[in-house]
Amino acid sequence: MIVGIGTDLLDVGRMARELARQGAGFRDDVFTLAEIAYCEGMGQPAQHFSARFAAKEAFWKAVGPGPEGVSLKDVEVEREAGGRPRLVLQGRALAAAGRLGVRGVFVSLSHTTTLASATVVLEG
Ligand SMILES: CC(C)(COP(=O)(O)OP(=O)(O)OC[C@H]1O[C@@H](n2cnc3c(N)ncnc32)[C@H](O)[C@@H]1OP(=O)(O)O)[C@@H](O)C(=O)NCCC(=O)NCCS
């Protein structure tokens, strides 16, 4: 049974500007080391960072509003062999999913030069 769905759309240019303006501090607060390594290894890092940021936001929309001070790093986009993304939850994200009775988490990403989107579906 589907117990939650969330979607988010991000402006890639705005992410690029934030990464340039705030530098590594912002990047390291939001993204895990593995996410950073993947995105920075790509030709257009801001597109991949944007899609991952959208996935974190989409997860919180799907699960319900998070408590104060949630860490966006508690929701991580991993890549399976072949490139399919999957979400790995930790900390408060894992606890919130547990309260909702989530047994499966599905994510899909898409991005262009200007926009990035993510959709998250939670199965209970
Ligand atoms: C892999 C594929 C889905 C990427 O699609 P795209 O339109 O080039 O790129 P999008 O921006 O929409 O999506 C990119 C995201 O797809 C996701 N993705 C990659 N491989 C995937 C896979 N096998 N399954 C699901 N999602 C995948 C990734 O999250 C990627 O983002 P990331 O690199 O930041 O992690 C696409 O190249 C593909 O293989 N499609 C299969 C169907 C097909 O052949 N269509 C063409 C004829 S209609």
Side-chain angles (χ1 to χ4, degrees), residues 12 15 19 36 38-51:
V12 172
M15 172 61 71
L19 288 166
I36 293 167
Y38 175 70
C39 296
E40 293 194 340
M42 303 301 282
Q44 301 293 329
Q47 286 188 33
H48 303 273
F49 277 124
S50 298

Side-chain angles (χ1 to χ4, degrees), residues 20-74:
R21 191 173 67 84
Q22 299 193 50
F26 165 71
R27 182 198 67 187
D28 296 349
D29 279 350
V30 173
F31 301 101
T32 66
L33 290 176
E35 288 174 329
I36 293 167
Y38 175 70
C39 296
E40 293 194 340
M42 303 301 282
Q44 301 293 329
Q47 286 188 33
H48 303 273
F49 277 124
S50 298
R52 279 153 181 76
F53 195 96
K56 296 166 192 280
E57 300 269 274
F59 168 80
W60 284 109
K61 287 183 183 175
V63 86
E68 286 295 316
V70 296
S71 169
L72 288 173
K73 286 199 285 194
D74 282 350

Side-chain angles (χ1 to χ4, degrees), residues 38 42 47-48 51-52 77 79 82-85 109-112:
Y38 175 70
M42 303 301 282
Q47 286 188 33
H48 303 273
R52 279 153 181 76
V77 176
R79 295 180 77 248
R84 183 186 293 270
L109 310 182
S110 187
H111 39 77
T112 68

